[in-house]
Amino acid sequence: MQSLLPNRRGALLALVMAVAFGLILLAMGRAAICACGTIKLWHGVVQSSENSQHIGDWYSFSHVIHGLLFYFFAHILWRRWKVFGGRPAIWALPIAVAFEGFWELLENSPIIIDRYRAVTMSYGYEGDSVINSLSDIGFMTLGFLIASRLPAWASAALAIAFEIFTLVMIRDNLALNILMLVWPIEAIRQWQAG
């Protein structure tokens, strides 16, 4: 079966789009880096002003899962169901970058930042720095590339393992994050707060 990985033009388009999303975030007034003035490879304290400000954090695992899911949906749409004759398949990664980038724009909009503060354990959430948003796109791309190499069952197992791991480590994961954003449950919020 033909790969869903992009050719050079597709890879270049994905990169240009990621840079464009970074520039849009800067134009929205997002800080380029952490207000602390440093860039760390990893910041592991969720309830801190530096969460979502550096290259990697506990939510990076969720972005890898995004990439696994985007690859799965691309496979279903363009390989299995042959939507548009399967022609968009080589554009699957740039399309995934577009979706991830639009999420980063939405996630860093006042409406979502305020929603996170109101209904999740992220009481003091200020949004992502641009370096963190670009890293999130990078982690999604990593997940997409991993999924291109693994059988479907292994990608699913990896996503489940990441969900369980982050649930154990920080009492949060992609599924809970979505649930609490869309349909907050006070008992879960209290449990997450410790």
Side-chain angles (χ1 to χ4, degrees):
M1 180 153 304
Q2 187 180 8
S3 173
L4 290 171
L5 295 179
N7 58 19
R8 276 190 203 158
R9 287 187 334 180
L12 181 60
L13 177 60
L15 180 61
V16 167
M17 288 172 43
V19 170
F21 283 117
L23 293 172
I24 293 168
L25 287 162
L26 286 171
M28 289 172 52
R30 303 303 314 156
I33 64 170
C34 178
C36 65
T38 63
I39 299 173
K40 297 177 186 173
L41 286 176
W42 174 263
H43 182 78
V45 181
V46 174
Q47 294 298 334
S48 78
S49 62
E50 292 186 43
N51 190 50
S52 297
Q53 300 300 303
H54 298 284
I55 292 172
D57 55 46
W58 289 109
Y59 296 100
S60 300
F61 294 98
S62 292
H63 293 281
V64 172
I65 295 171
H66 291 177
L68 298 170
L69 290 171
F70 288 147
Y71 190 90
F72 169 75
F73 291 127
H75 175 78
I76 295 295
L77 288 172
W78 298 310
R79 291 292 176 240
R80 178 136 331 145
W81 294 347
K82 304 285 188 207
V83 174
F84 301 118
R87 287 186 301 275
I90 63 166
W91 302 106
L93 180 59
I95 291 168
V97 168
F99 275 104
E100 190 74 3
F102 283 122
W103 166 247
E104 290 298 324
L105 296 179
L106 182 62
E107 179 185 30
N108 288 288
S109 67
I111 191 167
I112 297 296
I113 291 172
D114 291 343
R115 180 75 175 162
Y116 270 122
R117 287 182 192 154
V119 300
T120 72
M121 68 175 197
S122 302
Y123 306 111
Y125 181 65
E126 295 290 330
D128 299 355
S129 69
V130 175
I131 191 81
N132 181 262
S133 288
L134 291 175
S135 295
D136 290 346
I137 293 171
F139 282 113
M140 181 283 301
T141 301
L142 176 64
F144 190 95
L145 296 174
I146 289 169
S148 76
R149 302 283 185 210
L150 294 178
W153 68 264
S155 290
L158 181 61
I160 292 167
F162 281 172
E163 285 288 87
I164 292 169
F165 177 65
T166 54
L167 184 66
V168 168
M169 297 303 292
I170 63 167
R171 296 184 181 203
D172 203 7
N173 60 23
L174 180 59
L176 280 180
N177 208 295
I178 293 168
L179 174 67
M180 294 301 289
L181 192 60
V182 175
W183 189 26
I185 299 171
E186 185 59 29
I188 293 175
R189 184 164 94 156
Q190 289 177 8
W191 172 75
Q192 287 181 314

